[in-house]
Amino acid sequence: MRKLIFLFLLCITYMLQAQNVIDNPKFKYRSGSIYTITRIERNPDATRLSIHVVFRPHWWVKTGKDTHLEDVATGKKYYITGSEGFELEKEVYTPDSGTLDFVLLFPPLPKETKEIHFLDDDDHEELNTYYISLEEQEAKASFFDKVSGNWMGMNDYYEWAFGIYDSLAVMDNRFHQYEDIRQKGKSMLLTLKDEDGELVKLELTPQKDGLCRIRKDKEPARLFSRTTESMKAVQAKNEASPVFHRDSICVQGYIAGYNRKLGFSNGLIYVANELTREDYPVVVNLQPSGRFECKFEANYPICSSVVFNDNWIPFYAEPGQTVTLYLDWEAVMARSRARDYHYPIKNLHYMGANAHINHALRYMDDYFDFPYEEFSKMQKELTPVQFRERCEPKFRHWTDAADSLVNVNQYIGNTARLVRNAARIAAGYKLLDFVMYRSYAAREDKDNPVLKIKEDSAYYSFLRQMPLNDSLIVADRNFSGFINRLEYMNFARAVGDTTTVEMGKITYEYPEKSVLTYLKEHGVTLTPEQEKMRKDGEERAGKTVTREISEIIAESKIWEELMEKYKDLFEAYREENKAVDRVSASVDENQKAEDEKRMRINQFFENQREKSGRLDTIVGYTPLVSQIIALRSLPFDLQQLDKEGARSLLDKEKQLISHPFMFAEAERLYAEAFPLQNDSTYILPEGPATEIFQNIIKAHAGKVLFVDFWATSCGPCRSGIEHTAGLRQLYKDHPEFQFIYITSDRESPEKTYNEYVEKNLKGEACYRIPQAEYNYLRQLFRFNGIPHYELIEKDGSVSRSVPHTHNLKQYLEKRFGDGKKVE
């Protein structure tokens, strides 16, 4: 009898314990996948969470006192009390397997607690898991669950045809809402409505083998699969539209497993016009349902990425088209966990006219990867000839791999061009990178004999195999870097000095103060070559000499590099000295001005023609990229001339830019540089971004505002702030002027931000706003990099001419007088 009672009590105890153990508990979403909860045990004395860690081998994880459970219903927090098999508040490194298993202990939870969050007080902690169920798992899925998800066609293309989700559906490259959902026998009947109000009926019948038979309206039913299999071929598409044409692109999609608790409510696309060097971010609106979308103008097809929470999702799109993406957030977190940009995102799907191109290109970078460490080592140890010989097999393998992908998958048209271009441009980019950065390395390592060996004419022969005349080259992911290297590469050794354009001689007046001296005084480290130019300029300060224009053009390569890097300092120099370096001189002041203008126009034009001419000599013809190089120089050149001079330069450019679309872009740049109305300010457009900004500045109405967009992680930002410390003190509490500082919570972590503000910006108007709002401001003011400055007038309009930290003092003194005199 006692034995029976004991067994009975043992069974009861086991049953009670079983009810308090949840294996692999369900959750709704999480901010990272490094930590996975495999078991929850609810005991009278503690709540035990079994944790399985998956991370890179020999990388560390850390869990400590800020880790807690939160009751979803009451909001009450239960902080960690201990651990088993894991040391709290310590960096614990993963073994060779990259996995760890341990138990975290928390106070016992009330019996009525049915759902919890697993959190850390750190805003960006990757262990956060939300809405973890403490109830028994459902025995079987609902009928809707059997038909929900993504369905792919069963032909050779395996295209993504249907997306059936809890809150919406995707079909025919469009979003649909549910008008009616009902089950009929072994089928699910859905009535969907698109954004134009059109209704579509779907009948979905799941099959025993995991497939689904789907009928759309009265069309014949077809079988669909949840898996993509291997894409055997690419469907032929109508590719008659020209590569260059301006139209809008729509990028939209759905993120499975998204919730705003994950810490982001929008994304960004970094749009770039590589023809003209223009780039700016575009906000991707993200709804609570996980649906996202944005539209922007483009001049040609682009390979870009949607960026959500620092995760880059690749896509290809063409002007006038819509591309739809499906994104599984768990798959994105798996790549984040791997800490590897090339880690493939699984379960990523595309819909639209160019879905086949997206599938072909999404992992193309992985095929043509050159590890940075290996490349950097080669730059220091190999001569140019040795580098080409060493890399020839690798680059040949890349082109063979591209040809194989095209043949095996039966790629045609633009798809084939893009795949082949990707291999060739990746190789060309590295070959140009090698010689460009060796010159920088040589300045740092003067005793390395390898770095003193220059490339010869044979080195650049690879350019003859580059698709320099293929207009679709602009869509390649590496094109931006590739064209930049072509612009600034010194091809003189490749074609010989005899090709240098002889332009005769011209009088040249050295300024009283060299711009190079000005740069050096403001902290710029000059190379030996630049230092020699600086000393020459100081020796000839204020003197007028006769110089070969070809010599000036040769120096212009150095000036271009410096101007590109230190544009703000050049502008400040011109403002302070009221002079422009490298100008012609004449006894007659009127003639001097004309000579100066003509010389600058000729200099800009001949510099462009020389760049293009040397490239043309190497490849044996005039490729399309030569016109792109000329066009990319215009934005800067036009800014250095008045309206009449810019028009003269543009007329000359017709000799270099013959492509109708590209010359139309040149005319657009001219029109933007010299607008008809010539307004000095503009009004911000209506919309959420302007509302965000106006809410920030409304407390400072009636003042001129110098707005500084910055981040604690940005060295130049901090330098600018600290440089103006005295100026801020002079104009503190000024009735007409105010400094404003804006950063984001992601780019400036709270602790670091508070410490920096306390030390350097105490008492200033500082705003640390959510990253989503900051993204809108980046789009509003069209900036990618920081620091970025804006000047807001008293009426709320935005100045087109913005002072920077280096010349802000002169601007304020001129407009508001000496700050010390302000009462």
Side-chain angles (χ1 to χ4, degrees), residues 198-260:
E198 295 184 9
L199 297 179
V200 178
K201 293 184 181 296
L202 291 183
E203 179 181 345
L204 299 95
T205 308
Q207 308 295 298
K208 292 181 179 180
D209 56 4
L211 303 179
C212 187
R213 188 174 297 279
I214 302 177
R215 181 192 302 275
K216 176 184 173 184
D217 287 331
K218 296 182 180 180
E219 296 177 2
R222 293 169 51 200
L223 281 175
F224 292 84
S225 169
R226 290 189 186 276
T227 59
T228 58
E229 300 296 334
S230 297
M231 188 176 286
K232 299 178 182 178
V234 168
Q235 195 169 9
K237 302 289 180 181
N238 181 9
E239 297 170 343
S241 60
V243 169
F244 297 112
H245 67 285
R246 189 168 184 81
D247 206 339
S248 62
I249 288 175
C250 177
V251 177
Q252 62 182 18
Y254 175 78
I255 303 178
Y258 169 75
N259 187 280
R260 289 194 170 174

Side-chain angles (χ1 to χ4, degrees), residues 275-277 487-488 553 556-557 559-561 563-564 567 571 574 580 582 596-612 626-653 656-657 666 669-674:
L275 302 179
T276 59
R277 296 176 179 269
E487 285 178 290
Y488 295 107
I553 287 180
S556 69
K557 294 176 174 59
W559 291 114
E560 284 179 4
E561 181 181 326
M563 289 176 184
E564 180 77 16
K567 181 179 178 182
E571 292 176 355
R574 294 189 181 101
V580 182
R582 297 173 295 141
E596 174 188 331
K597 181 191 297 185
R598 184 171 58 255
M599 184 268 182
R600 291 184 66 76
I601 293 170
N602 287 337
Q603 176 186 325
F604 289 145
F605 174 70
E606 294 298 344
N607 189 29
Q608 292 179 31
R609 185 165 69 174
E610 186 183 23
K611 283 183 185 178
S612 300
S626 290
Q627 299 187 50
I628 298 176
I629 289 173
L631 179 58
R632 282 166 60 88
S633 299
L634 272 180
F636 177 82
D637 292 351
L638 293 177
Q639 291 176 10
Q640 315 311 309
L641 300 168
D642 60 18
K643 186 174 183 179
E644 182 183 41
R647 184 72 258 174
S648 297
L649 176 61
L650 208 59
D651 290 341
K652 284 177 171 288
E653 293 292 330
L656 304 177
I657 307 173
L669 292 173
Y670 174 82
E672 291 180 0
F674 305 99

Side-chain angles (χ1 to χ4, degrees), residues 118 200 203 212 299 552 795 816:
F118 176 49
V200 178
E203 179 181 345
C212 187
N299 287 340
I552 297 174
D795 62 357
F816 300 112

Side-chain angles (χ1 to χ4, degrees), residues 522-577:
H522 285 76
V524 175
T525 301
L526 302 179
T527 66
E529 187 177 17
Q530 293 164 357
E531 179 63 21
K532 182 179 182 302
M533 287 176 58
R534 187 191 72 80
K535 290 180 178 178
D536 290 343
E538 289 296 311
E539 291 175 2
R540 301 176 183 180
K543 296 180 180 179
T544 300
V545 299
T546 300
R547 297 187 64 189
E548 296 280 348
I549 294 182
S550 58
E551 178 183 311
I552 297 174
I553 287 180
E555 288 183 357
S556 69
K557 294 176 174 59
I558 300 173
W559 291 114
E560 284 179 4
E561 181 181 326
L562 288 168
M563 289 176 184
E564 180 77 16
K565 193 172 183 180
Y566 304 108
K567 181 179 178 182
D568 291 347
L569 287 176
F570 271 84
E571 292 176 355
Y573 167 83
R574 294 189 181 101
E575 180 67 23
E576 291 183 17
N577 292 276

Side-chain angles (χ1 to χ4, degrees), residues 252-290:
Q252 62 182 18
Y254 175 78
I255 303 178
Y258 169 75
N259 187 280
R260 289 194 170 174
K261 279 186 174 293
L262 297 179
F264 62 99
S265 57
N266 61 28
L268 285 175
I269 296 176
Y270 295 93
V271 179
N273 181 359
E274 297 299 346
L275 302 179
T276 59
R277 296 176 179 269
E278 296 169 290
D279 63 285
Y280 57 92
V282 174
V283 171
V284 182
N285 295 307
L286 183 54
Q287 299 180 12
S289 65

Side-chain angles (χ1 to χ4, degrees), residues 367-429:
Y367 287 101
F368 316 127
D369 181 40
F370 203 134
Y372 172 79
E373 295 79 7
E374 178 186 355
F375 181 70
S376 180
K377 189 172 184 290
M378 286 182 170
Q379 284 182 312
K380 299 172 184 177
E381 297 179 356
L382 301 181
T383 67
V385 171
Q386 291 171 337
F387 178 74
R388 277 205 63 172
E389 291 176 349
R390 181 79 62 85
C391 293
E392 189 64 33
K394 178 193 289 283
F395 295 152
R396 190 185 311 115
H397 173 73
W398 287 1
T399 56
D400 290 345
D403 291 339
S404 178
L405 286 169
V406 169
N407 295 329
V408 170
N409 295 295
Q410 302 175 29
Y411 293 156
I412 60 173
N414 285 355
T415 313
R417 288 165 65 188
L418 287 163
V419 170
R420 288 191 168 108
N421 284 353
R424 289 154 176 78
I425 295 303
Y429 183 18

